[in-house]
Amino acid sequence: MLDPGSKAGQVAATIRSRILSGVYAPGSFLPAERVLAEDLGVARNTVRAALDSLARDGFVRHEERRGTVVNSAFGGGTDATFLLVSPTLEEHSPSLLTPEAMALIGNTLCACSGSNIQFHFQAMPPEGARELVRIVHGARLAGVLLVECSEPAVLEALHDEGIPHVVINQEQDMPGPATRVDFWQIGRHAAEFLLDLGHRRLGVLSGPSDRHLYGRMVAGFRDRLAEAGGSLRPEHVAHVKSCSEAARSAALQLLSRPDRPTAVFCTRDVRAYGAYLAARDLGLRVPEDLSLVGYDDITWPGEGRQFLTTFPEPARELGTSAIHMLISWIRTGIVPEDVIICPELVIRRSAAPCSEEGDADDGNR
C-alpha cells in the first residue's frame, strides 16, 4: 500500500480524483507517463508507482504498447446486487440517519446511476454480525458496502466468511478495506491556513477525545503549530458532541477568556455554527474579530453554510472509490488496498487576516 503522504501516494490521489470527477473519462487513455510526470512535477518512476497502485485498486488497467486505460467500474458487464448497510444512531430508530450518512448513501447510489448494479438496503441489524452474514448468503448478494461501520465483530465475520466488503468512510481505527479521509492532514492544513492569515492564538472546538477522527485532526493541528514554533494551549481546546447548543456553550467559555483565540478550527460544521452563535452573543464579528474553519460542508444548518470556510467531506469520492474497490475484489479475488482522501479547503467568508496587534508575537508560544 502506498503511503498517502509519499510523492507516489499524492500522485495516485490526484489521478484518482481526476478519474472520479470525470477529467479522465472511463475508457479513455491517460496521458503518457512522461506527460503526467511533467504535469505533476515528479519523476516518471513516481508516476509508474502511482499507476500500479491505481491498477491494483481497479481504477485503471495497463495495455501493452498502448498505455493506461481508465476502467469503467460500473460497466463491462458488471451485473450485481450489493448489500448497503447503514449505521444507526444510539437510542434511535434504525431509520434515523445522520446528515453525513445520508450524504454518503446518496452519493454512492448516484455513482451507480445508469449501471446494472442494484442494492439491498439494510440498517445494521440488532443481532449484528451473524444476521448480516445470513442476509448476504440468503439473498446471494455479491458483496457488502458498510457506511461508517464501527463494529469490529461485523468486519471480522465478513472476513472469516470470505464475503467481499468495503467500509465507506471508515472514521475508526479499524482495519480495511475501506475508504478513509486523511483527518491528520486536514488538521495540519487548517492550522497552516490560519497561521498564514497571521493568527497565533488558535483554538479547537472538537468532538469527544476518544473518537479516532477527532484525535487525528487535533494531532495534525498540533503538529503543524509545533513546526511553526507554537503550541495549542489546553485551555483553548474544548471537546463537545455534534450539537450546536453544546458547541455554543463551550465556545462561550472559550471566547470569554481575556486571552481568547482569534481563530478556531471546528471539527464539524455544526460546531462552527455553535461557535458562530457564541461569537454573536459576545458581540464578536466573524470574520473581523474571529475566524472560523470547519469540516464536512454538511452540518451547518440552512443555506448559511455557504458562509463557512471548510473542508468538505468528500462523500462522492468516498462512495465511488468504495464501489471500485468492491468490484475489483469480486473480479480479481484480491483484497483491495485502502483509499485515503484529503479534501481541499473551500475558502469562503468566515476567515480573514488577524486584526489584533501583537497576536503574532505572543500567541500560542
Side-chain angles (χ1 to χ4, degrees):
M1 176 179 175
L2 288 178
D3 177 358
S6 68
K7 285 187 177 180
Q10 293 170 8
V11 169
T14 298
I15 296 173
R16 182 176 61 246
S17 179
R18 291 177 181 179
I19 291 171
L20 295 176
S21 63
V23 175
Y24 300 144
S28 67
F29 282 88
L30 293 181
E33 289 181 3
R34 174 184 56 79
V35 175
L36 285 171
E38 292 176 357
D39 176 31
L40 300 171
V42 296
R44 287 184 65 176
N45 61 344
T46 301
V47 172
R48 191 171 298 118
L51 294 178
D52 286 344
S53 175
L54 291 171
R56 287 192 297 271
D57 289 339
F59 288 93
V60 300
R61 67 181 184 275
H62 301 304
E63 293 193 358
E64 189 174 358
R65 298 182 181 179
R66 298 190 68 193
T68 302
V69 183
V70 178
N71 282 333
S72 176
F74 320 128
T78 299
D79 188 353
T81 301
F82 300 139
L83 181 64
L84 180 59
V85 183
S86 68
T88 56
L89 293 175
E90 294 182 6
E91 301 178 359
H92 288 84
S93 164
S95 63
L96 184 61
L97 297 172
T98 65
E100 303 96 296
M102 287 191 288
L104 290 165
I105 292 169
N107 278 277
T108 301
L109 296 176
C110 286
C112 296
S113 177
S115 74
N116 293 326
I117 295 175
Q118 299 183 40
F119 290 97
H120 178 104
F121 189 78
Q122 171 73 49
M124 184 64 74
E127 301 88 348
R130 182 179 299 178
E131 176 63 12
L132 208 59
V133 168
R134 188 195 66 78
I135 292 171
V136 174
H137 288 321
R140 297 184 179 181
L141 302 173
V144 182
L145 290 169
L146 305 104
V147 178
E148 299 181 340
C149 180
S150 60
E151 300 185 30
V154 169
L155 301 180
E156 291 173 7
L158 293 173
H159 177 271
D160 292 344
E161 290 287 329
I163 298 172
H165 62 280
V166 177
V167 177
I168 305 172
N169 191 34
Q170 179 56 277
E171 296 180 339
Q172 310 299 325
D173 186 17
M174 294 182 185
T179 58
R180 306 175 190 267
V181 175
D182 194 336
F183 295 115
W184 186 76
Q185 284 290 353
I186 286 176
R188 282 184 57 84
H189 293 332
E192 184 167 6
F193 173 72
L194 294 172
L195 288 169
D196 287 346
L197 289 176
H199 295 278
R200 296 298 179 269
R201 290 202 309 274
L202 303 178
V204 174
L205 196 55
S206 190
S209 57
D210 61 346
R211 291 286 305 278
H212 177 71
L213 74 159
Y214 301 132
R216 293 294 289 167
M217 278 195 257
V218 175
F221 196 86
R222 290 184 189 275
D223 185 75
R224 184 62 187 90
L225 286 185
E227 287 182 2
S231 63
L232 185 61
R233 297 178 183 175
E235 61 270 23
H236 285 175
V237 181
H239 298 276
V240 296
K241 62 182 180 179
S242 294
C243 166
S244 60
E245 281 306 310
R248 181 181 194 171
S249 177
L252 280 171
Q253 296 184 45
L254 188 64
L255 299 176
S256 296
R257 297 179 57 86
D259 62 343
R260 69 166 180 85
T262 61
V264 177
F265 171 46
C266 305
T267 59
R268 283 288 182 194
D269 286 3
V270 68
R271 296 187 183 99
Y273 182 66
Y276 174 83
L277 296 177
R280 188 179 64 181
D281 293 342
L282 296 170
L284 299 174
R285 300 165 299 166
V286 177
E288 292 85 353
D289 304 315
L290 177 70
S291 287
L292 295 175
V293 172
Y295 166 71
D296 73 35
D297 204 27
I298 297 172
T299 58
W300 182 290
E303 297 179 358
R305 69 186 180 90
Q306 295 300 321
F307 165 76
L308 183 65
T309 293
T310 190
F311 295 88
E313 183 173 89
R316 182 174 181 83
E317 194 168 356
L318 288 164
T320 306
S321 296
I323 299 170
H324 273 274
M325 293 164 65
L326 187 58
I327 292 175
S328 174
W329 186 348
I330 293 168
R331 286 176 174 172
T332 67
I334 300 172
V335 179
E337 296 179 348
D338 288 356
V339 169
I340 301 174
I341 302 164
C342 187
E344 294 185 4
L345 181 66
V346 176
I347 299 175
R348 295 178 179 137
R349 295 178 289 118
S350 67
C354 182
S355 61
E356 286 196 16
E357 295 183 6
D359 178 52
D361 297 325
D362 51 25
N364 286 24
R365 298 178 186 275

